[in-house]
């Protein structure tokens, strides 16, 4: 097995992770639709969706673990040690088995998209209860426009977000690509990433603090669809 073959396989696995991520987004959307129409978190359909999300999260974690180990092991192989390539597969298998044995299902609850799924269902049910409990008053048109800009616009790109991410530390939102690029750029300079929202005191935005906001993403898509119809 050559290193070029290994790199090609890793690239395919990374693409697989992206597909898993998209699947989790779709499952979350379907579950939110069920929650909106049925208004029950205990509905069997929603529970099945949650089980699918957890299975996807487990597979995503295992692929990520495998890729990390392969990169680590191949990094140890140098041109001066070509014989090490013969034991590459066995070494990867051994380390993968050791690492996965330490993983627990409880840790899956912290997976970014599992958290996003549960937040999406919870927020949908809460929103439905609030609308049932009281009549929503019409907002002044100017105020509504201002609020829409605040909610939907990324503070970095100044345009509507495509994949909104919520910072669980300060509750601000950013478009995924923009905030990840900013974090990477700041870290390359050995500096912390400050929240780009004016006046926010969060001086250390971490990727681990970001959670996909499925509800907001659906609202932005709905706004865009409505705009295209007019």
């Amino acid at each position: 097995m050559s290193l070029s073959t290994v790199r090609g396989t890793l690239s395919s696995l990374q693409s697989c992770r992206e597909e898993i991520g998209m699947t989790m987004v779709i499952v979350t959307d379907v579950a939110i639709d069920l929650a909106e129409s049925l208004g029950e978190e205990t509905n069997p359909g929603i529970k099945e969706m949650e089980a699918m999300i957890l299975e996807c999260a487990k597979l995503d974690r295992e692929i990520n673990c495998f890729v990390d180990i392969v990169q680590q092991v191949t990094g140890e192989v140098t041109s001066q040690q070509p014989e090490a390539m013969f034991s590459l597969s066995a070494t990867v298998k051994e380390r993968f088995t050791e690492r996965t044995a330490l993983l627990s299902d409880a840790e899956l609850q912290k997976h970014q998209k599992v958290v996003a799924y549960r937040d999406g269902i919870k927020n949908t049910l809460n929103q439905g209860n609030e609308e049932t409990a009281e009549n929503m008053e019409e907002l002044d048109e100017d105020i509504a426009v201002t609020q829409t800009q605040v909610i939907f616009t990324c503070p970095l790109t100044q345009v509507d977000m495509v994949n909104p991410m919520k910072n669980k530390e300060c509750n601000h939102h950013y478009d995924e690509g923009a905030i990840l690029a900013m974090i990477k750029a700041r870290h390359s300079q050995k500096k912390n990433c400050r929240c780009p929202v004016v006046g926010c005191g969060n001086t250390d935005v971490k990727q681990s603090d970001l959670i996909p906001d499925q509800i907001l993403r659906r609202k932005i898509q709905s706004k865009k669809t409505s705009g295209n119809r007019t």
Side-chain angles (χ1 to χ4, degrees), residues 11-49:
S11 178
S12 297
L13 287 174
Q14 293 289 15
S15 297
C16 183
R17 286 193 69 201
E18 293 176 5
E19 292 295 329
I20 292 172
M22 288 303 301
T23 298
M24 296 175 82
V25 170
I26 293 171
V27 171
T28 299
D29 277 346
V30 173
I32 289 175
D33 285 338
L34 283 175
E36 286 178 344
S37 60
L38 301 175
E40 300 176 16
E41 187 174 6
T42 56
N43 179 272
I46 295 178
K47 288 297 182 183
E48 288 180 14
M49 297 294 172

Side-chain angles (χ1 to χ4, degrees), residues 32 35-36 41 115-131 166 171 173 211-216 219:
I32 289 175
E36 286 178 344
E41 187 174 6
V115 174
Y117 172 89
R118 293 200 166 137
D119 282 351
I121 298 298
K122 179 181 177 181
N123 292 337
T124 298
L125 294 175
N126 287 343
Q127 182 178 340
N129 291 335
E130 289 173 4
E131 291 177 355
K166 179 180 179 180
N171 292 324
H173 290 82
I211 303 171
D213 193 327
Q214 301 293 85
I215 297 294
L216 181 55
K219 288 181 178 179

